[in-house]
Amino acid sequence: MLVGLETSEDAGVYRLDDDTALVQTLDVITPIVDDPVDFGYIAATNALSDVYAMGGIPLTALTFLAFESCILPVEGASMILEGASAALKEASCAMLGGHTLEDPEIKFGLSVTGIVHPGRIVTNSGAVARDLIYLTKPLGTGIASTAIKGEMFPVELQADFVEGMKASNGPASAVMTKAGVTSATDVTGFGLLGHLREMCKGANLGAVLDLASIPLIPGIPGLVDMGLIPAGAYRNRDHLAEYVEAKGIPEEKLFPLFDPQTSGGLLMAVNPHHAGDLERLMAEARIPLWRIGMFGEGEKIIIEN
Ligand code: CO
Ligand code: CO
Protein backbone atom coordinates (compact mmCIF):
# COMPACT_ATOMS: atom_id res chain seq x y z
CA MET A 1 0.00 0.00 0.00
CA LEU A 2 1.50 3.33 -1.06
CA VAL A 3 -1.29 5.70 0.01
CA GLY A 4 -3.80 4.69 2.67
CA LEU A 5 -6.14 6.35 5.11
CA GLU A 6 -3.76 8.43 7.21
CA THR A 7 -3.64 11.69 5.20
CA SER A 8 -7.30 11.91 4.02
CA GLU A 9 -6.19 11.42 0.43
CA ASP A 10 -8.53 11.55 -2.57
CA ALA A 11 -7.88 7.91 -3.39
CA GLY A 12 -5.95 4.90 -2.15
CA VAL A 13 -2.88 3.76 -4.07
CA TYR A 14 -1.60 0.17 -4.20
CA ARG A 15 1.66 -0.83 -5.92
CA LEU A 16 1.41 -3.69 -8.44
CA ASP A 17 4.99 -3.56 -9.72
CA ASP A 18 7.82 -1.04 -10.30
CA ASP A 19 5.91 0.78 -13.02
CA THR A 20 2.27 0.51 -12.04
CA ALA A 21 0.13 1.23 -9.03
CA LEU A 22 -3.65 1.03 -8.72
CA VAL A 23 -5.57 4.18 -7.72
CA GLN A 24 -8.98 3.40 -6.23
CA THR A 25 -11.79 5.63 -5.03
CA LEU A 26 -15.50 5.62 -4.22
CA ASP A 27 -17.78 8.67 -4.31
CA VAL A 28 -21.57 8.81 -3.86
CA ILE A 29 -23.71 11.98 -4.09
CA THR A 30 -27.37 12.97 -3.80
CA PRO A 31 -29.10 14.83 -6.68
CA ILE A 32 -27.64 18.29 -7.17
CA VAL A 33 -29.55 19.14 -10.38
CA ASP A 34 -33.05 18.21 -11.62
CA ASP A 35 -32.04 16.58 -14.92
CA PRO A 36 -31.22 12.88 -14.31
CA VAL A 37 -28.79 12.65 -17.25
CA ASP A 38 -26.85 15.68 -15.98
CA PHE A 39 -26.89 14.26 -12.45
CA GLY A 40 -25.38 10.97 -13.65
CA TYR A 41 -22.78 12.81 -15.71
CA ILE A 42 -21.81 15.03 -12.76
CA ALA A 43 -21.61 12.10 -10.31
CA ALA A 44 -19.25 10.26 -12.67
CA THR A 45 -17.14 13.38 -13.29
CA ASN A 46 -16.97 13.91 -9.53
CA ALA A 47 -15.82 10.31 -8.90
CA LEU A 48 -13.24 10.34 -11.73
CA SER A 49 -11.83 13.53 -10.27
CA ASP A 50 -10.29 11.78 -7.25
CA VAL A 51 -8.17 9.62 -9.57
CA TYR A 52 -7.15 12.70 -11.58
CA ALA A 53 -6.28 14.63 -8.40
CA MET A 54 -3.60 12.00 -7.68
CA GLY A 55 -2.16 12.21 -11.18
CA GLY A 56 -3.76 8.89 -12.18
CA ILE A 57 -5.50 7.68 -15.33
CA PRO A 58 -8.93 6.10 -14.77
CA LEU A 59 -9.48 2.69 -16.38
CA THR A 60 -12.64 1.09 -14.97
CA ALA A 61 -15.70 2.02 -12.93
CA LEU A 62 -18.54 0.35 -11.02
CA THR A 63 -21.78 2.20 -10.29
CA PHE A 64 -23.95 2.34 -7.18
CA LEU A 65 -27.57 3.54 -7.44
CA ALA A 66 -30.11 3.79 -4.62
CA PHE A 67 -33.69 4.72 -5.49
CA GLU A 68 -37.31 3.70 -5.07
CA SER A 69 -39.41 3.30 -8.21
CA CYS A 70 -42.38 5.20 -6.72
CA ILE A 71 -40.13 8.29 -6.32
CA LEU A 72 -37.86 7.88 -9.34
CA PRO A 73 -39.36 5.88 -12.23
CA VAL A 74 -37.10 3.22 -13.77
CA GLU A 75 -36.67 5.45 -16.87
CA GLY A 76 -35.19 8.12 -14.59
CA ALA A 77 -32.78 5.58 -13.13
CA SER A 78 -31.62 4.54 -16.59
CA MET A 79 -31.16 8.21 -17.51
CA ILE A 80 -28.81 8.62 -14.52
CA LEU A 81 -26.79 5.62 -15.73
CA GLU A 82 -26.84 6.97 -19.28
CA GLY A 83 -25.34 10.27 -18.06
CA ALA A 84 -22.65 8.40 -16.14
CA SER A 85 -21.84 6.25 -19.20
CA ALA A 86 -21.36 9.37 -21.30
CA ALA A 87 -18.93 10.89 -18.79
CA LEU A 88 -16.99 7.61 -18.49
CA LYS A 89 -16.82 7.25 -22.26
CA GLU A 90 -15.44 10.79 -22.52
CA ALA A 91 -12.76 9.73 -20.01
CA SER A 92 -12.05 6.44 -21.85
CA CYS A 93 -13.01 4.65 -18.65
CA ALA A 94 -14.90 1.33 -18.98
CA MET A 95 -18.09 0.77 -16.99
CA LEU A 96 -17.84 -2.82 -15.74
CA GLY A 97 -21.08 -3.11 -13.82
CA GLY A 98 -22.77 -1.92 -10.71
CA HIS A 99 -25.33 -2.38 -8.00
CA THR A 100 -28.76 -0.91 -7.26
CA LEU A 101 -30.76 -0.98 -4.07
CA GLU A 102 -34.07 0.37 -2.81
CA ASP A 103 -33.90 3.56 -0.82
CA PRO A 104 -36.39 6.47 -0.63
CA GLU A 105 -33.50 8.98 -0.89
CA ILE A 106 -31.87 8.91 -4.33
CA LYS A 107 -28.10 8.40 -4.23
CA PHE A 108 -25.72 7.70 -7.05
CA GLY A 109 -22.00 7.14 -7.12
CA LEU A 110 -19.13 5.26 -8.62
CA SER A 111 -16.06 3.39 -7.58
CA VAL A 112 -13.31 4.23 -10.05
CA THR A 113 -10.04 2.35 -10.52
CA GLY A 114 -7.11 3.89 -12.32
CA ILE A 115 -3.36 3.54 -12.63
CA VAL A 116 -0.42 5.77 -11.84
CA HIS A 117 3.35 5.32 -11.95
CA PRO A 118 4.45 4.68 -8.32
CA GLY A 119 7.08 7.42 -8.63
CA ARG A 120 4.67 10.02 -9.99
CA ILE A 121 1.82 9.97 -7.46
CA VAL A 122 0.60 13.48 -6.68
CA THR A 123 -0.40 13.55 -3.00
CA ASN A 124 -2.15 16.21 -0.95
CA SER A 125 0.82 16.52 1.41
CA GLY A 126 3.77 17.44 -0.83
CA ALA A 127 3.60 21.25 -0.78
CA VAL A 128 6.59 23.27 0.47
CA ALA A 129 6.70 26.83 1.84
CA ARG A 130 6.53 29.51 -0.90
CA ASP A 131 4.75 27.16 -3.33
CA LEU A 132 2.02 29.06 -5.16
CA ILE A 133 -1.60 27.91 -4.90
CA TYR A 134 -3.74 27.47 -8.03
CA LEU A 135 -7.41 26.56 -8.56
CA THR A 136 -9.09 25.43 -11.81
CA LYS A 137 -12.84 25.98 -11.17
CA PRO A 138 -14.85 28.80 -9.58
CA LEU A 139 -16.58 28.15 -6.23
CA GLY A 140 -20.24 28.10 -5.24
CA THR A 141 -21.88 24.81 -6.36
CA GLY A 142 -23.37 24.15 -2.90
CA ILE A 143 -24.82 27.65 -2.69
CA ALA A 144 -26.13 27.43 -6.27
CA SER A 145 -27.82 24.05 -5.74
CA THR A 146 -29.41 25.32 -2.51
CA ALA A 147 -30.79 28.22 -4.55
CA ILE A 148 -32.02 25.89 -7.32
CA LYS A 149 -33.92 23.80 -4.76
CA GLY A 150 -35.60 27.02 -3.55
CA GLU A 151 -36.16 28.16 -7.17
CA MET A 152 -34.05 31.25 -6.44
CA PHE A 153 -31.17 30.72 -8.87
CA PRO A 154 -31.46 32.86 -12.01
CA VAL A 155 -32.38 30.53 -14.89
CA GLU A 156 -29.97 32.26 -17.27
CA LEU A 157 -27.03 31.32 -15.03
CA GLN A 158 -27.95 27.66 -14.54
CA ALA A 159 -26.39 26.30 -17.74
CA ASP A 160 -22.94 27.64 -16.77
CA PHE A 161 -23.28 26.13 -13.32
CA VAL A 162 -24.17 22.67 -14.72
CA GLU A 163 -21.44 22.81 -17.40
CA GLY A 164 -18.89 23.71 -14.72
CA MET A 165 -19.69 20.55 -12.74
CA LYS A 166 -19.66 18.45 -15.92
CA ALA A 167 -16.19 19.72 -16.86
CA SER A 168 -13.63 16.95 -16.34
CA ASN A 169 -10.49 17.49 -14.29
CA GLY A 170 -8.73 15.05 -16.65
CA PRO A 171 -7.10 17.65 -18.91
CA ALA A 172 -5.94 19.71 -15.89
CA SER A 173 -4.51 16.55 -14.32
CA ALA A 174 -2.54 15.75 -17.48
CA VAL A 175 -1.06 19.26 -17.46
CA MET A 176 -0.32 19.21 -13.75
CA THR A 177 1.76 16.03 -14.02
CA LYS A 178 3.83 17.67 -16.79
CA ALA A 179 4.31 20.97 -14.99
CA GLY A 180 5.93 19.64 -11.79
CA VAL A 181 3.09 20.33 -9.36
CA THR A 182 4.25 19.36 -5.83
CA SER A 183 0.81 18.59 -4.35
CA ALA A 184 -2.84 18.54 -5.39
CA THR A 185 -6.35 17.64 -4.38
CA ASP A 186 -9.82 18.31 -5.76
CA VAL A 187 -12.21 20.68 -4.03
CA THR A 188 -15.34 18.82 -2.89
CA GLY A 189 -17.38 18.49 0.32
CA PHE A 190 -15.05 20.31 2.72
CA GLY A 191 -14.95 23.40 0.52
CA LEU A 192 -11.88 25.31 -0.64
CA LEU A 193 -10.64 26.02 2.88
CA GLY A 194 -11.27 22.47 4.15
CA HIS A 195 -9.29 20.89 1.32
CA LEU A 196 -6.58 23.54 1.55
CA ARG A 197 -6.36 22.80 5.28
CA GLU A 198 -5.73 19.12 4.45
CA MET A 199 -2.90 20.13 2.12
CA CYS A 200 -1.49 22.41 4.85
CA LYS A 201 -1.82 19.76 7.54
CA GLY A 202 -0.14 17.06 5.47
CA ALA A 203 2.78 19.37 4.70
CA ASN A 204 3.00 21.12 8.12
CA LEU A 205 2.37 24.49 6.52
CA GLY A 206 0.06 27.45 6.59
CA ALA A 207 -1.12 29.55 3.68
CA VAL A 208 -2.03 33.08 2.66
CA LEU A 209 -4.94 33.59 0.26
CA ASP A 210 -5.82 36.72 -1.70
CA LEU A 211 -9.63 36.93 -1.43
CA ALA A 212 -10.05 39.09 -4.53
CA SER A 213 -8.34 36.47 -6.73
CA ILE A 214 -10.61 33.58 -5.66
CA PRO A 215 -13.10 32.90 -8.49
CA LEU A 216 -16.86 32.51 -7.85
CA ILE A 217 -19.59 31.13 -10.11
CA PRO A 218 -21.58 34.11 -11.51
CA GLY A 219 -24.50 35.07 -9.26
CA ILE A 220 -23.05 33.60 -6.04
CA PRO A 221 -22.52 36.83 -4.04
CA GLY A 222 -26.18 37.78 -4.56
CA LEU A 223 -27.36 34.34 -3.37
CA VAL A 224 -25.17 34.59 -0.25
CA ASP A 225 -26.72 38.00 0.48
CA MET A 226 -30.15 36.31 0.32
CA GLY A 227 -28.97 33.80 2.94
CA LEU A 228 -28.94 30.80 0.56
CA ILE A 229 -26.11 29.03 2.36
CA PRO A 230 -26.09 25.23 2.69
CA ALA A 231 -25.77 23.66 6.14
CA GLY A 232 -22.48 22.09 5.02
CA ALA A 233 -20.90 25.54 4.63
CA TYR A 234 -21.67 26.35 8.28
CA ARG A 235 -20.30 22.95 9.35
CA ASN A 236 -17.09 23.49 7.37
CA ARG A 237 -16.72 26.97 8.89
CA ASP A 238 -17.12 25.63 12.44
CA HIS A 239 -14.65 22.78 11.87
CA LEU A 240 -12.01 25.15 10.53
CA ALA A 241 -12.53 28.06 12.93
CA GLU A 242 -9.17 27.71 14.69
CA TYR A 243 -7.21 27.50 11.41
CA VAL A 244 -8.71 30.37 9.45
CA GLU A 245 -7.80 34.00 10.08
CA ALA A 246 -9.67 36.66 8.11
CA LYS A 247 -9.35 39.94 9.96
CA GLY A 248 -11.70 42.67 8.83
CA ILE A 249 -13.40 40.53 6.17
CA PRO A 250 -17.22 40.38 6.45
CA GLU A 251 -18.55 36.87 7.11
CA GLU A 252 -20.65 36.69 3.94
CA LYS A 253 -17.53 37.04 1.79
CA LEU A 254 -16.11 33.89 3.39
CA PHE A 255 -19.10 31.58 2.87
CA PRO A 256 -18.17 30.65 -0.73
CA LEU A 257 -14.74 29.54 0.58
CA PHE A 258 -16.44 27.16 3.04
CA ASP A 259 -19.12 26.07 0.55
CA PRO A 260 -19.15 22.27 -0.11
CA GLN A 261 -18.42 21.69 -3.79
CA THR A 262 -19.61 18.93 -6.09
CA SER A 263 -17.17 18.13 -8.90
CA GLY A 264 -15.01 21.12 -7.93
CA GLY A 265 -11.69 22.04 -9.50
CA LEU A 266 -8.14 20.93 -8.80
CA LEU A 267 -6.29 22.79 -6.05
CA MET A 268 -2.57 22.66 -6.75
CA ALA A 269 0.74 23.69 -5.23
CA VAL A 270 3.62 24.59 -7.51
CA ASN A 271 7.13 25.91 -6.97
CA PRO A 272 7.30 29.57 -8.11
CA HIS A 273 9.98 28.58 -10.68
CA HIS A 274 7.51 26.21 -12.36
CA ALA A 275 4.48 28.50 -12.10
CA GLY A 276 5.15 29.99 -15.54
CA ASP A 277 5.16 26.49 -17.11
CA LEU A 278 1.90 25.60 -15.37
CA GLU A 279 0.22 28.82 -16.49
CA ARG A 280 1.43 28.43 -20.09
CA LEU A 281 0.45 24.73 -20.40
CA MET A 282 -2.99 25.33 -18.86
CA ALA A 283 -3.58 28.27 -21.21
CA GLU A 284 -2.52 26.14 -24.21
CA ALA A 285 -4.99 23.44 -23.13
CA ARG A 286 -7.68 26.15 -22.61
CA ILE A 287 -8.14 25.22 -18.96
CA PRO A 288 -9.23 28.05 -16.66
CA LEU A 289 -6.68 28.72 -13.91
CA TRP A 290 -6.56 31.14 -11.01
CA ARG A 291 -3.57 31.85 -8.77
CA ILE A 292 -5.12 32.40 -5.35
CA GLY A 293 -2.29 32.42 -2.80
CA MET A 294 0.88 30.91 -1.41
CA PHE A 295 1.91 28.30 1.16
CA GLY A 296 3.94 29.53 4.11
CA GLU A 297 5.11 28.73 7.62
CA GLY A 298 2.76 28.18 10.56
CA GLU A 299 -0.54 26.32 10.47
CA LYS A 300 -3.07 29.08 9.79
CA ILE A 301 -4.77 29.97 6.55
CA ILE A 302 -4.69 33.75 6.45
CA ILE A 303 -7.16 35.42 4.11
CA GLU A 304 -6.27 38.89 2.91
CA ASN A 305 -8.62 41.36 1.32
CO1 CO B 1 -11.25 14.40 -3.61
CO1 CO C 1 -13.91 12.05 -3.09
Side-chain angles (χ1 to χ4, degrees), residues 87-159:
L88 293 173
K89 196 171 171 206
E90 192 69 34
S92 302
C93 180
M95 193 198 273
L96 297 186
H99 179 72
T100 57
L101 69 87
E102 266 190 52
D103 187 329
E105 198 195 349
I106 300 168
K107 300 174 190 77
F108 180 60
L110 301 92
S111 173
V112 180
T113 298
I115 48 167
V116 67
H117 188 286
R120 290 195 282 272
I121 301 165
V122 182
T123 69
N124 65 3
S125 57
V128 291
R130 304 184 64 81
D131 275 359
L132 299 173
I133 304 170
Y134 285 87
L135 178 66
T136 64
K137 287 190 192 182
L139 304 173
T141 70
I143 293 164
S145 72
T146 304
I148 286 179
K149 281 175 194 146
E151 298 184 358
M152 306 281 273
F153 194 47
V155 178
E156 67 275 15
L157 295 177
Q158 288 187 18

Side-chain angles (χ1 to χ4, degrees), residues 46-285:
N46 184 61
L48 288 163
S49 177
D50 278 331
V51 172
Y52 289 135
M54 304 209 65
I57 295 165
L59 293 181
T60 63
L62 299 167
T63 59
F64 167 86
L65 175 60
F67 74 107
E68 225 163 53
S69 52
C70 55
I71 292 165
L72 177 74
V74 176
E75 305 83 74
S78 32
M79 285 166 84
I80 293 174
L81 291 166
E82 181 193 317
S85 289
L88 293 173
K89 196 171 171 206
E90 192 69 34
S92 302
C93 180
M95 193 198 273
L96 297 186
H99 179 72
T100 57
L101 69 87
E102 266 190 52
D103 187 329
E105 198 195 349
I106 300 168
K107 300 174 190 77
F108 180 60
L110 301 92
S111 173
V112 180
T113 298
I115 48 167
V116 67
H117 188 286
R120 290 195 282 272
I121 301 165
V122 182
T123 69
N124 65 3
S125 57
V128 291
R130 304 184 64 81
D131 275 359
L132 299 173
I133 304 170
Y134 285 87
L135 178 66
T136 64
K137 287 190 192 182
L139 304 173
T141 70
I143 293 164
S145 72
T146 304
I148 286 179
K149 281 175 194 146
E151 298 184 358
M152 306 281 273
F153 194 47
V155 178
E156 67 275 15
L157 295 177
Q158 288 187 18
D160 271 359
F161 158 65
V162 172
E163 287 314 306
M165 290 187 294
K166 286 168 77 175
S168 170
N169 283 331
S173 172
V175 168
M176 126 184 140
T177 49
K178 267 190 250 164
V181 160
T182 54
S183 178
T185 191
D186 59 339
V187 181
T188 52
F190 299 135
L192 171 69
L193 294 179
H195 291 282
L196 180 59
R197 166 64 194 151
E198 283 178 346
M199 291 175 82
C200 286
K201 189 179 167 197
N204 280 315
L205 293 174
V208 179
L209 294 182
D210 169 26
L211 184 63
S213 66
I214 299 173
L216 303 184
I217 293 167
I220 292 300
L223 299 174
V224 171
D225 286 343
M226 285 190 270
L228 293 162
I229 297 156
Y234 289 100
R235 274 199 298 275
N236 288 340
R237 182 194 62 178
D238 296 346
H239 277 306
L240 294 164
E242 61 177 303
Y243 298 107
V244 176
E245 192 180 301
K247 287 202 185 89
I249 296 173
E251 188 174 46
E252 64 272 16
K253 292 221 168 193
L254 297 176
F255 275 119
L257 282 57
F258 292 116
D259 185 42
Q261 303 298 286
T262 299
S263 192
L266 293 183
L267 183 63
M268 299 171 291
V270 69
N271 181 293
H273 296 296
H274 295 149
D277 291 341
L278 181 71
E279 291 183 14
R280 180 176 49 78
L281 292 168
M282 288 285 191
E284 279 170 15

